[in-house]
Amino acid sequence: MSDATEAGFALDPRLAHDTAFVGDDVLCRVLLMDDARFPWLILVPRRAGLTELDALGAADSAQLAREVHGAMRALRTVSPCDKLNVGALGNVVRQLHVHVVARCEGDAAWPGPVWGSGAARPYTPEARHALIARLRAALART
Amino acid sequence: MSDATEAGFALDPRLAHDTAFVGDDVLCRVLLMDDARFPWLILVPRRAGLTELDALGAADSAQLAREVHGAMRALRTVSPCDKLNVGALGNVVRQLHVHVVARCEGDAAWPGPVWGSGAARPYTPEARHALIARLRAALART
């Protein structure tokens, strides 16, 4: 992490409210969505003022792809799944963020998208703590 | 386009059914979703057997990002919008494909995702033809 990366960056309050901190990768803050229905990471590039993917320069774009791929591998490790969903929507929260969600056939939203699908079911503190520890270990290996 | 890119590639029949051909970029086939509710491109890397983003090598991943960014700029050109949504889901069609969708506040699914949101409203042949021509011109400039 460098000061240049972080200059002016502040996490959107809605994202902060809905998630738990997992770690900071080279470019992105990695967050766990507090919804036990789906193993779900959110990657937020630590750049001020970004809303769209094509505002990233080539180097940041390549780094984001590496970090998305790492998040996919980490989710697979902690929670075997049938499909991974990756999306940058931003209709509600405009700060650029990328969802990486492990999906299982028959899960609460299958085969639809997770966004807008019912109410989140928060983790218990113990389950959240344990999952974050496993995610950190898996991310460190990617 | 090279034979190596195309080797063994065949477009999923469901994607072919739901879309119209726009063009082939360096890596991806570019398709227009036949749903007049949302200006919506789908990019399909012309590689056989891909289902997940992290199966792409670094060079293909960077090329995909360039083509996604180009699709975003082309959609903005032909249809001013409030937000672009980018997603690779694949719960229904497993062949790797990336959605790039121009969203406007108050559109048929706003602020929810387009996937699974009601029935598609096909373009008239004239409207589809005209939009594809404008998209081709815009993509050629990106």
Side-chain angles (χ1 to χ4, degrees):
Chain A
M1 178 192 329
S2 71
D3 289 339
T5 302
E6 296 260 358
F9 171 76
L11 185 63
D12 179 276
R14 167 89 181 246
L15 287 177
H17 177 270
D18 294 345
T19 65
F21 178 78
V22 176
D24 276 339
D25 207 332
V26 174
L27 175 63
C28 295
R29 181 146 301 166
V30 182
L31 305 166
L32 174 68
M33 181 66 96
D34 192 19
D35 187 345
R37 299 175 304 162
F38 314 104
W40 180 344
L41 294 172
I42 296 181
L43 277 59
V44 187
R46 297 195 309 284
R47 302 284 194 212
L50 288 180
T51 60
E52 296 283 11
L53 283 172
D54 65 331
L56 290 168
D60 277 357
S61 186
Q63 184 60 32
L64 177 61
R66 283 190 287 274
E67 296 182 15
V68 166
H69 297 179
M72 294 171 76
R73 289 189 287 270
L75 283 172
R76 269 193 212 104
T77 300
V78 304
S79 184
C81 58
D82 297 306
K83 190 68 190 72
L84 287 151
N85 293 172
V86 177
L89 286 79
N91 302 338
V92 177
V93 171
R94 291 299 169 99
Q95 182 173 59
L96 181 62
H97 60 288
V98 180
H99 302 267
V100 185
V101 193
R103 304 298 307 275
C104 291
E105 294 181 12
D107 71 25
W110 188 265
V114 294
W115 307 287
S117 176
R121 181 163 58 82
Y123 290 99
T124 64
E126 296 75 16
R128 186 166 50 239
H129 182 82
L131 179 56
I132 288 172
R134 295 175 64 212
L135 284 165
R136 285 177 178 159
L139 286 165
R141 287 193 298 270
T142 67
Chain B
M1 177 191 331
S2 70
D3 288 339
T5 302
E6 297 259 356
F9 171 76
L11 185 64
D12 178 276
R14 168 88 181 246
L15 288 178
H17 177 269
D18 294 345
T19 66
F21 178 77
V22 176
D24 277 338
D25 206 333
V26 174
L27 176 63
C28 295
R29 181 148 301 167
V30 182
L31 306 166
L32 173 69
M33 181 67 94
D34 192 18
D35 187 345
R37 299 175 305 162
F38 314 104
W40 180 344
L41 293 173
I42 296 181
L43 277 59
V44 187
R46 298 195 311 282
R47 302 283 194 214
L50 288 180
T51 60
E52 296 283 11
L53 283 172
D54 66 329
L56 290 169
D60 277 356
S61 187
Q63 184 61 32
L64 176 61
R66 282 191 288 274
E67 296 183 15
V68 166
H69 297 180
M72 296 171 75
R73 289 189 287 269
L75 283 172
R76 269 193 212 104
T77 300
V78 305
S79 185
C81 58
D82 296 307
K83 190 71 191 69
L84 287 152
N85 293 172
V86 177
L89 286 79
N91 302 338
V92 177
V93 170
R94 292 300 169 99
Q95 181 174 59
L96 181 62
H97 60 288
V98 180
H99 303 266
V100 185
V101 193
R103 304 298 306 276
C104 291
E105 295 181 13
D107 71 25
W110 189 266
V114 294
W115 307 286
S117 175
R121 181 163 58 83
Y123 291 98
T124 64
E126 296 76 16
R128 185 167 50 240
H129 182 82
L131 180 56
I132 288 172
R134 294 176 63 212
L135 284 164
R136 285 178 179 158
L139 285 164
R141 288 193 298 270
T142 66

